[in-house]
């Protein structure tokens, strides 16, 4: 099974700051990686698929990059509604696996 | 509007059985692969099972193989998860989720999720 390692575990920042989240895979994924956002008490929401494609309705401040084993989610200027937990997910091999998550919290 | 609504959760004793349902609306259910994903509160997401659009092929995570069965009724727009021989470690929030389709192709990401249903396995 492919293991996804997200870092850091927690990020503390202020609204308006730029944030970069990392996801590293135990095997090469090509570009087969997605990012999700989950707020407390809510289901996850798909943000980015195939490493760099924004899902329907996702604001342009969210962007994804990377290929192979190293991937990044960037929020260009964090809005108050962006404070949440972010997960990466690979579809390269079964089973589908998720990273452990990065919590983005208000400083 | 795409909606997925889970039901059937609750408190069950170890070794017991439970069937979760997920009622789908707002899209052509019979055209989409579907998944179950679970999450222990405060922990990460774990994929459980998937089923193709006509129900002919399924795949399970090793942790539930032989105990859980995913199925669907396209006439009723409903996805199911039959859970047998339940263990304490199956305690979680269970989400049903729709598989993303891009240009007519099934791409194994999850674009819509239900609100989740709690399953607690405890004596």
């Amino acid at each position: 099974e492919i293991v996804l390692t997200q870092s850091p575990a927690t990020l503390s920042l202020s609204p308006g700051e730029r944030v970069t989240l990392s996801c590293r895979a135990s095997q090469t994924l090509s570009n087969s990686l997605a990012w999700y956002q989950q707020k407390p008490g809510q289901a996850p929401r798909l943000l980015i698929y195939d490493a760099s494609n924004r899902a329907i309705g996702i604001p342009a401040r969210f962007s994804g990059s990377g290929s192979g084993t190293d991937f990044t989610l960037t929020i260009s200027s964090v809005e108050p509604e962006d404070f949440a937990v972010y997960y990466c997910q690979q579809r390269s091999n079964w089973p589908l696996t998720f990273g452990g998550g990065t919590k983005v919290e208000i400083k | 509007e795409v909606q997925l609504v889970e039901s059937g959760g609750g408190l069950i004793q170890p070794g017991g059985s439970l069937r979760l349902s997920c009622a789908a609306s707002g899209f052509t259910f019979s055209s989409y692969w579907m998944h179950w994903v679970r999450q222990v509160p405060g922990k990460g997401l774990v994929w459980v099972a998937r089923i193709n659009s006509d129900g002919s092929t399924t795949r399970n995570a090793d942790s539930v193989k032989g105990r859980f069965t995913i199925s669907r009724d396209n006439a009723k727009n409903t996805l199911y998860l039959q859970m047998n021989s339940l263990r304490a470690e199956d305690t979680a929030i269970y989400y049903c989720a729709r598989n993303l389709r891009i240009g007519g192709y099934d791409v194994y990401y999850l674009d819509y999720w239900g609100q989740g249903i709690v399953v607690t396995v405890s004596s």
Side-chain angles (χ1 to χ4, degrees):
Chain A
E1 137 173 349
I2 295 176
V3 176
L4 299 177
T5 302
Q6 291 188 242
S7 61
T10 304
L11 268 174
S12 299
L13 47 132
S14 302
E17 288 191 81
R18 179 183 180 91
V19 59
T20 299
L21 312 181
S22 173
C23 178
R24 177 164 288 177
S26 60
Q27 303 174 33
T28 185
L29 305 179
S30 182
N31 69 336
S32 301
L33 187 104
W35 291 93
Y36 298 84
Q37 176 194 68
Q38 187 178 33
K39 298 178 182 179
Q42 296 185 17
R45 177 174 71 144
L46 178 65
L47 299 175
I48 301 287
Y49 65 92
D50 281 349
S52 61
N53 297 290
R54 272 189 301 276
I56 295 172
I58 301 305
R61 64 180 182 273
F62 291 93
S63 63
S65 64
S67 66
T69 60
D70 291 298
F71 299 86
T72 298
L73 174 70
T74 299
I75 310 174
S76 59
S77 177
V78 175
E79 298 285 338
E81 62 266 28
D82 299 337
F83 292 97
V85 179
Y86 293 83
Y87 294 97
C88 55
Q89 177 240 317
Q90 64 81 24
R91 68 170 182 94
S92 179
N93 281 348
W94 294 99
L96 303 182
T97 51
F98 294 86
T102 291
K103 182 179 182 180
V104 176
E105 62 179 24
I106 300 175
K107 185 186 289 184
Chain B
E1 179 195 5
V2 172
Q3 284 200 314
L4 298 168
V5 179
E6 301 95 339
S7 61
L11 174 64
I12 187 76
Q13 291 190 339
S17 297
L18 211 55
R19 188 177 82 158
L20 304 183
S21 299
C22 172
S25 61
F27 65 101
T28 305
F29 179 69
S30 59
S31 295
Y32 285 82
W33 291 41
M34 298 293 295
H35 301 257
W36 288 98
V37 175
R38 68 185 181 185
Q39 183 176 37
V40 175
K43 301 296 185 182
L45 300 163
V46 178
W47 173 81
V48 173
R50 67 89 173 143
I51 188 168
N52 72 337
S53 56
D54 66 8
S56 61
T57 69
T58 64
R59 195 168 195 129
N60 288 357
D62 285 347
S63 59
V64 305
K65 206 164 284 185
R67 301 187 300 122
F68 289 13
T69 302
I70 186 172
S71 64
R72 65 192 297 160
D73 185 336
N74 285 343
K76 294 183 177 179
N77 290 341
T78 302
L79 176 72
Y80 302 101
L81 186 68
Q82 177 67 44
M83 303 186 294
N84 299 330
S85 303
L86 281 160
R87 306 167 180 166
E89 54 265 36
D90 296 319
T91 295
I93 300 167
Y94 284 75
Y95 296 98
C96 65
R98 191 181 82 168
N99 194 78
L100 178 67
R101 281 176 66 85
I102 299 290
Y105 291 95
D106 297 296
V107 182
Y108 307 126
Y109 304 120
L110 310 176
D111 65 349
Y112 285 93
W113 298 60
Q115 83 287 353
I117 191 78
V118 175
V119 172
T120 304
V121 184
S122 175
S123 54

